[in-house]
Amino acid sequence: KAFLNHTAYLSCYFPNPQKIDMRDLIVFWQKDSHRVAHEVYYGEEKWDNVSPEYINRTKADVDKWILQLLYAGVKDEGHFECIIQHKKEGPPKVIHTSECSLHIIANYSQPEIAQLHTGELKPNGYLNLSCSSIGGYPEPEEMTWLISYENTTHRCTPHMDVSQDDVTKLYNVTSKLNIPVPTNSLTNISCLLHLREQLGILVSAPLHI
């Protein structure tokens, strides 16, 4: 996992038990089986075969067999493979391959509750609310509402509207809640955004009615 616009670290997991010199190896990382992200050719970095989107965005730490991918973006998500070839006699032979998947994370804004109705709340009227969070990735699981009275809490999960920016690929989410105006006691209403990838839950500031 890597945060949006930060550095991703793609490991090759090569123990090099024979202590082979880098000058006898060809090491390259490729994305989705066909786009070369970085190549170290017999100890020297080589750019002839590297895909344009990775030029000037990668650094190889050959001591640790790790590729640093700078300014990682949503378009970099996917499957990477590291391939190492050794030249003894004749053509180079593959002596090691390893794979990893890159997932990008962008932090959502704290969910914010807005009141959509106008004028004063009337006892027999309805409370019309929306909750929004913007600029995150990946797409969240769901948005839930907690409505807390004196001794009880109700959970509600209405439909969540999701939109994705065509350029940044980040998501904006909104959920709407329409309930009768509480009349008995003080009511606290909160909105929770449940994230994927075990990233937890974001909670809005509570609305007191």
Side-chain angles (χ1 to χ4, degrees), residues 1-53:
K1 295 184 178 75
F3 280 100
L4 181 72
N5 294 327
H6 286 62
T7 300
Y9 296 88
L10 308 173
S11 178
C12 203
Y13 301 109
F14 181 52
N16 195 13
Q18 299 173 337
K19 307 297 181 191
I20 303 170
D21 193 293
M22 280 299 297
R23 289 170 292 189
D24 295 324
L25 296 175
I26 300 172
V27 183
F28 60 96
W29 283 262
Q30 63 182 16
K31 167 114 186 293
D32 299 332
S33 303
H34 63 280
R35 285 182 289 172
V36 176
H38 196 91
E39 182 176 10
V40 182
Y41 189 81
Y42 299 130
E44 300 289 333
E45 290 185 309
K46 186 180 178 183
W47 303 100
D48 302 7
N49 301 319
V50 174
S51 290
E53 66 262 41

Side-chain angles (χ1 to χ4, degrees), residues 49-94:
N49 301 319
V50 174
S51 290
E53 66 262 41
Y54 294 111
I55 298 289
N56 297 325
R57 287 184 59 218
T58 55
K59 290 181 183 176
D61 183 343
V62 292
D63 293 328
K64 298 178 181 176
W65 304 97
I66 289 174
L67 181 69
Q68 298 180 33
L69 174 59
L70 310 179
Y71 311 111
V74 174
K75 291 180 180 178
D76 295 316
E77 269 202 330
H79 186 79
F80 285 83
E81 187 176 20
C82 169
I83 300 168
I84 299 178
Q85 297 176 332
H86 184 206
K87 185 175 184 180
K88 286 185 179 177
E89 297 159 6
K93 293 182 179 178
V94 175

Side-chain angles (χ1 to χ4, degrees), residues 93-146:
K93 293 182 179 178
V94 175
I95 59 170
H96 178 81
T97 62
S98 68
E99 302 173 0
C100 65
S101 293
L102 176 61
H103 300 277
I104 299 299
I105 300 164
N107 288 327
Y108 282 87
S109 65
Q110 182 184 15
E112 199 169 306
I113 296 175
Q115 301 189 41
L116 302 179
H117 47 74
T118 56
E120 292 184 16
L121 293 175
K122 297 179 180 178
N124 58 349
Y126 275 82
L127 197 57
N128 194 4
L129 306 174
S130 74
C131 180
S132 300
S133 177
I134 63 172
Y137 194 90
E139 186 177 349
E141 285 184 3
E142 64 182 13
M143 206 173 230
T144 60
W145 295 80
L146 293 183

Side-chain angles (χ1 to χ4, degrees), residues 158-174:
H159 173 72
M160 178 177 68
D161 290 315
V162 180
S163 63
Q164 186 177 26
D165 188 282
D166 290 338
V167 178
T168 65
K169 302 301 180 185
L170 301 182
Y171 290 99
N172 300 330
V173 293
T174 302

